[in-house]
């Protein structure tokens, strides 16, 4: 039995390593033009969407540390439609990944992207607030997640969003035995047919108008729910690190 348990753990971790990084918006809807004006498309050297992110002030975007694997070189801000981009919307970035990050199942899946120039805030682009202190999100709350990741019909050009229920951390630990890191929030993807999928990594979990979480991982690229809870980095528990990096990055 002990050998079987070890084998099962190995298989799960293998699945995580190959497949789990943040997923797509499932069973969501198009984001209204006047909402989620903080969303960022994190793009590679070929100017292709790779991850999501969110603007927190004129100088910084937050995304997931595992998005560094895609070698992001720029972000696009101020549009919901990735076919509607001009040069003023693209910003080169400096990457500042959390120093403790190694892989998603070990946590610290957060990264700051310093913009090469200040973001031009306007009616299409506004930052999102962060929690002011360490905050406990309760399982009676419903939050939302957005992104340009895969949907059931492919990869959209227009930003999609979906409401997701918070999953109690004790329940989440039971569903992710021996594999749930510290400092995370679980929401969606369990007992519901809504959540995120590939391409949404790094986007925000928005609760009460603030960026509560960062899309981290789901279960083995399985975006058809219900399954295991989706896992987000808990922004409120990384506030000291964010403040420090905004000075040092």
């Amino acid at each position: 039995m002990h050998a079987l348990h070890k084998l099962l753990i190995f298989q799960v971790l293998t699945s995580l390593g190959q497949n789990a990084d943040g997923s797509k918006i499932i069973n969501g809807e198009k984001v209204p033009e006047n909402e989620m004006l903080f969303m960022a498309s994190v793009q590679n050297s070929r100017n292709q969407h790779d991850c999501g992110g969110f603007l927190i002030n004129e100088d910084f975007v937050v995304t997931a540390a595992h998005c560094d694997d895609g070698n992001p070189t720029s972000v696009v801000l101020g549009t919901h439609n990735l076919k509607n981009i001009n040069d003023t919307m693209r910003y080169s970035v400096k990457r500042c990944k959390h120093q403790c990050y190694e892989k998603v199942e070990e946590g610290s899946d957060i990264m700051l992207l310093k913009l090469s120039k200040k973001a031009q805030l306007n009616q299409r682009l506004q930052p999102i607030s962060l929690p002011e202190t360490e905050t406990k999100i309760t399982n009676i709350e419903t939050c939302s997640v957005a992104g340009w990741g895969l949907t059931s019909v492919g990869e959209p050009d227009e930003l999609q969003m979906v409401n997701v229920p918070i999953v109690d951390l004790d329940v989440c630990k039971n569903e992710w035995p021996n594999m749930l890191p510290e400092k995370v929030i679980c929401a969606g993807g369990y007992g519901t047919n809504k959540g995120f999928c590939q391409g949404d990594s790094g986007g925000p979990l928005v609760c009460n108008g603030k960026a509560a979480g960062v899309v981290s991982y789901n279960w083995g690229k399985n975006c058809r729910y219900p399954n295991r809870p989706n896992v987000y980095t808990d922004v409120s528990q990384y506030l000291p690190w964010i403040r420090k990096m905004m000075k040092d990055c």
Side-chain angles (χ1 to χ4, degrees):
M1 288 297 292
H2 180 66
L4 177 60
H5 177 74
K6 291 176 67 175
L7 176 61
L8 289 172
I9 293 298
F10 173 78
Q11 289 174 333
V12 167
L13 291 178
T14 299
S15 176
L16 271 171
Q18 293 176 345
N19 301 321
D21 296 348
S23 310
K24 69 192 173 192
I25 298 300
I26 301 298
N27 295 322
E29 59 186 18
K30 179 181 171 182
V31 176
E33 289 295 317
N34 62 344
E35 295 183 16
M36 295 200 163
L37 304 181
F38 43 79
M39 287 296 298
S41 171
V42 179
Q43 304 203 345
N44 58 32
S45 59
R46 299 183 300 279
N47 292 344
Q48 296 171 330
H49 174 80
D50 192 56
C51 279
F54 49 97
L55 186 73
I56 58 171
N57 64 20
E58 294 175 318
D59 296 302
F60 286 96
V61 164
V62 175
T63 189
H66 76 254
C67 291
D68 193 49
D69 296 344
N71 192 29
T73 59
S74 67
V75 297
V76 170
L77 299 167
T79 183
H80 284 2
N81 190 332
L82 295 186
K83 283 189 173 179
N84 184 21
I85 297 174
N86 60 52
D87 290 342
T88 66
M89 298 175 178
R90 187 176 300 279
Y91 298 77
S92 299
V93 294
K94 175 185 178 182
R95 308 194 300 263
C96 300
K97 183 168 58 175
H98 197 284
Q99 67 277 7
C100 295
Y101 175 78
E102 292 190 5
K103 47 190 175 182
V104 291
E105 64 268 26
E106 293 181 1
S108 300
D109 191 12
I110 188 169
M111 177 167 64
L112 287 188
L113 301 175
K114 185 175 183 179
L115 305 182
S116 57
K117 57 184 178 182
K118 288 187 179 298
Q120 299 300 307
L121 305 182
N122 52 44
Q123 71 274 13
R124 297 290 300 125
L125 178 61
Q126 291 293 323
I128 187 172
S129 298
L130 301 181
E132 296 176 0
T133 59
E134 185 172 325
T135 305
K136 180 176 175 58
I137 306 297
T138 69
N139 60 343
I140 64 171
E141 295 185 56
T142 296
C143 302
S144 59
V145 60
W148 291 275
L150 297 175
T151 68
S152 59
V153 295
E155 186 171 337
D157 295 313
E158 297 193 73
L159 185 65
Q160 304 287 305
M161 67 176 289
V162 69
N163 291 333
V164 289
I166 297 298
V167 178
D168 183 85
L169 272 180
D170 289 335
V171 172
C172 199
K173 289 174 183 177
N174 288 334
E175 296 299 318
W176 287 100
N178 304 314
M179 291 175 293
L180 192 70
E182 299 295 322
K183 302 180 180 180
V184 296
I185 298 170
C186 297
Y190 173 78
T192 179
N193 62 352
K194 298 178 180 180
F196 59 67
C197 200
Q198 281 68 42
D200 292 326
S201 290
L205 177 71
V206 181
C207 304
N208 301 315
K210 298 181 185 296
V214 182
V215 173
S216 185
Y217 65 92
N218 68 353
W219 174 251
K221 283 188 178 176
N222 184 353
C223 304
R224 305 306 303 172
Y225 301 101
N227 208 290
R228 282 177 170 80
N230 292 174
V231 180
Y232 299 77
T233 303
D234 185 345
V235 169
S236 77
Q237 298 198 51
Y238 287 90
L239 290 173
W241 178 82
I242 291 172
R243 296 185 187 110
K244 182 177 187 302
M245 294 310 296
M246 288 171 66
K247 296 178 180 178
D248 298 344
C249 182

